Amino acid sequence: MRRKVWLDAAAGALLVATLAAALAVPPERTMGDLARLMFVHVPAAWLAYLAFGVTLVGSAGYLATRRMKWDRLAAGSAEVGVCFNGLTIALGMIWGKSTWGVWWTWDARLVLTAIMFFVYLGYLGLRRGIADPVARARRSAWLGVLGAVQIPIVHFSVVWWRGLHQPPSVIRPGGVQMDDEFRIALAVAVLAFTAVYAALLRRHMENARAEEALAARLASEEVEVAGAAITAPRYGEVD
Amino acid sequence: MPLATPAPFGGPGPYTRPVPAAVIDLRSVGVRLGDTPILRDLDLRVEAGEAVGLIGANGSGKTTLLRLLATLLAPTDGEGAVLGASLSSPERFAVRPRIGLIGHTPGLYPQLTLEENLAFVARIAGIPGEAVGEVLDRVGLGLARHRRAAACSHGMQRRGEFARVMLTRPDLLLLDEAHAGLDSQAADLVAHLVEGVRRRGGAAVVVSHEPGRIAPLVGRFVELQAGAVADPGTAAS
Amino acid sequence: MTGLWRQAWEIARKDLRTEFRTGEVLLITVPFGAAALMLIPLAIGVDAPLLERVGPGMYWSVVLLFGVLVTVRQSAADGPAQMDVLTLLGLDPAARFAGRAGASALLLLVFEAVLAPLALALYGSDPRGWWWVLAVLPLVAVGLGLLGTLAAAIAAGVASTTLVPLIVVPLSVPMLLAASQVTEGIRVGATIFGWLLLLVVMDLLLAVAGVLSARPLQEAAR
């Protein structure tokens, strides 16, 4: 069996480069060493959005073509996305506690990130609940599309709700003063995490395909055994 | 939908259309659940006016075949047609009201009375409600018509199912475990249903664990073995 | 088209008749929601101005969280055998969706209507501007009925009873925000038409999604 390891190797190398860059940049002017959290937090947040976007593409692709590889794409991406989404929230909370002294603020982006987390936990729960691969693919594809269509509405309503009732948020995009070095290191980190996502997704899809093949093989063996044990009834004798 | 007046079960049904010569025509049909094969390379042709007994061990695919014939499952391999409609295309939606299926589990709503259950069926299908009382009498449930399905024994619910099929008078009748839990009087109903659909020019497929009981009803047997036809057309003895 | 509405009406009528006989919503879910409304003041302390302030928000939270239980009620669920019967009767899946969602919306409206005076009494909130809330009640009932029915159709055949609520609750956030903002807007005298419009858009979108997905989801059943 030939394994394509180049993607894994590239992801690993980029991660090492990210680690080196993240440690090499000088401490940030206002935030100090804490700003290094950004090298994980920002790429993880980006990946959550990317992963759920890919789940939408996979779901729509499955509904259009009925080919299982689209379903494996949607499922793998959702699972990796949920992990990165959880990581984003956890790191964001650590950042918030150290910077503003609170674990959570009702910023629209935070609320949306948390809601997305629950939407795709539901998606994964649905997948676990259905044994038949075809039924699972069809049903989860509809949820993959519905969830993605609803998210802009959720986002819009949360932004509107925030805009009406609270003073402008403490979190402003670009609120952290970024030096060029910092910016380059962040770009490396985003690239590295995207490579990790691609590698995990590919492994995930390979595993899913192998599981399906194994299930099919076990099942066909079972059927053969059961069939061999059958003695055909003799109708004349029954009568 | 043009509606027919209530007629004996042998008469034409509300959805009866000219029945094609081959009511069932399967060519190398296979059904896989994911990658698991349930039915394999199945050829089956059932002519108008014919009744076929379907036998086979547990897990041989009898119920799956019946659901395939009822258009509730689409074939994953091969080509099949029922009442002239391809099983793989949306054509199959149109012939559904002409198919009657009685499965192992009764499909009655437990909180509705027998009469309400059948009246509901009639209204969904667009059949005049007067027929409801008649079919209930014919299956021997006339006195129990106001009893809720939940309070009926399994045998009575089975009779309720027969009444439903009498109401819709299908051109293709599919019976799973035809005689399970039935007394001899109800067994006569099975014979009546199968005879009626044959006289109407339709076809029937009857699954049973007791080939002896259905032998008088069917022209031939088909045996399934591990999802394939083992014995196409042993004459019923 | 008339056939579709007639079939939808028959499904809704059957669902409602079943509800009147089992009382699953009126005798079980409504008291459960009422108990939840009582639980909150016990947990946060009996502070009259605070309760008055949080009352409407608590009411809408309870409506959404417990209203999901109305849409997944056991008595309206079709078992596999009943689904087969309905399918072979030539029932249009869109009619089935519309009928079920309609019956659920009506029961949700009853649910909301029973809990509303109770919330007013328990929390001592000011019922000013109630006529606008009267417009919100049916919009939320319809939206939640549609979303719950759609989620139940997607999750058909899954054993877990909590999966549908998990799918519904995050996606119903716009409804929760809109409903509570209308109540809040009336209190402070802000404009509420945008929120009402959001509810209408949400209802329309869910209706379209439900009708479009009804056939494919039914055929995906095994």
Side-chain angles (χ1 to χ4, degrees), chain A:
Chain A
M1 199 160 77
R2 202 163 61 89
R3 269 270 166 79
K4 287 185 226 144
V5 292
W6 62 266
L7 188 56
D8 302 343
L14 278 166
L15 267 191
V16 172
T18 302
L19 190 65
L23 294 175
V25 293
E28 207 266 335
R29 258 172 265 151
T30 47
M31 299 308 307
D33 283 334
L34 193 68
R36 296 183 209 280
L37 265 183
M38 286 292 132
F39 295 118
V40 184
H41 177 66
V42 171
W46 142 249
L47 278 187
Y49 283 92
L50 174 73
F52 297 147
V54 170
T55 296
L56 170 65
V57 171
S59 301
Y62 178 79
L63 287 178
T65 65
R66 295 286 142 85
R67 297 185 57 159
M68 289 307 274
K69 68 173 180 185
W70 289 107
D71 178 59
R72 291 192 284 263
L73 178 71
S77 195
E79 200 158 321
V80 179
V82 162
C83 293
F84 280 113
N85 195 343
L87 188 65
T88 308
I89 295 172
L91 291 177
M93 288 174 82
I94 294 171
W95 171 267
K97 181 65 183 168
S98 331
T99 326
W100 309 300
V102 286
W103 289 108
W104 186 259
T105 85
W106 294 94
D107 175 79
R109 270 193 301 173
L110 281 184
V111 175
L112 182 72
T113 310
I115 288 173
M116 268 190 345
F117 187 63
F118 292 116
V119 169
Y120 287 95
L121 280 181
Y123 174 90
L124 294 178
L126 175 70
R127 295 194 66 91
R128 265 194 306 281
I130 306 175
D132 170 44
V134 177
R136 179 173 60 216
R138 287 220 207 166
R139 292 177 177 282
S140 54
W142 276 99
L143 185 57
V145 172
L146 177 75
V149 168
Q150 289 276 292
I151 277 176
I153 298 186
V154 174
H155 177 68
F156 162 77
S157 64
V158 174
V159 166
W160 196 8
W161 167 70
R162 281 291 308 173
L164 284 178
H165 287 272
Q166 300 286 335
S169 153
V170 278
I171 302 175
R172 284 187 305 278
V176 177
Q177 297 257 314
M178 279 199 282
D179 298 326
D180 280 344
E181 289 166 293
F182 195 90
R183 216 166 288 181
I184 291 165
L186 196 56
V188 173
V190 168
L191 193 65
F193 273 75
T194 310
V196 169
Y197 161 77
L200 286 175
L201 178 59
R202 205 200 58 186
R203 282 299 163 98
H204 202 286
M205 290 173 71
E206 273 176 11
N207 280 353
R209 196 170 44 213
E211 274 171 20
E212 278 169 30
L214 179 67
R217 210 161 118 192
L218 287 177
S220 65
E221 278 167 13
E222 259 171 44
V223 168
E224 236 107 68
V225 170
I230 289 172
T231 3
R234 294 277 156 263
Y235 317 112
E237 290 164 24
V238 173
D239 247 352

Side-chain angles (χ1 to χ4, degrees), chain B residues 163-186:
Chain B
R164 188 188 76 230
V165 172
M166 286 185 174
L167 201 59
T168 56
R169 287 194 294 275
D171 291 329
L172 172 59
L173 178 66
L174 305 166
L175 294 177
D176 205 352
E177 297 305 337
H179 289 96
L182 293 185
D183 53 30
S184 63
Q185 209 188 353

Side-chain angles (χ1 to χ4, degrees), chain C residues 124-140:
Chain C
S125 301
D126 181 4
R128 245 185 314 159
W130 55 273
W131 46 90
W132 280 116
V133 178
L134 284 190
V136 177
L137 290 178
L139 285 174
V140 171

Side-chain angles (χ1 to χ4, degrees), chain B residues 67 108-109 111 116 123, chain C residues 6 10 13 21 78 84:
Chain B
R67 293 181 62 76
L108 303 174
Y109 288 98
Q111 296 303 327
E116 284 164 351
R123 282 193 301 264
Chain C
R6 184 177 47 81
E10 290 300 337
R13 205 167 80 139
R21 293 194 181 157
D78 294 315
D84 290 351

Side-chain angles (χ1 to χ4, degrees), chain B residues 184-199:
Chain B
S184 63
Q185 209 188 353
D188 290 344
L189 280 172
V190 175
H192 175 73
L193 285 174
V194 172
E195 198 41 51
V197 76
R198 287 178 64 175
R199 254 189 294 155

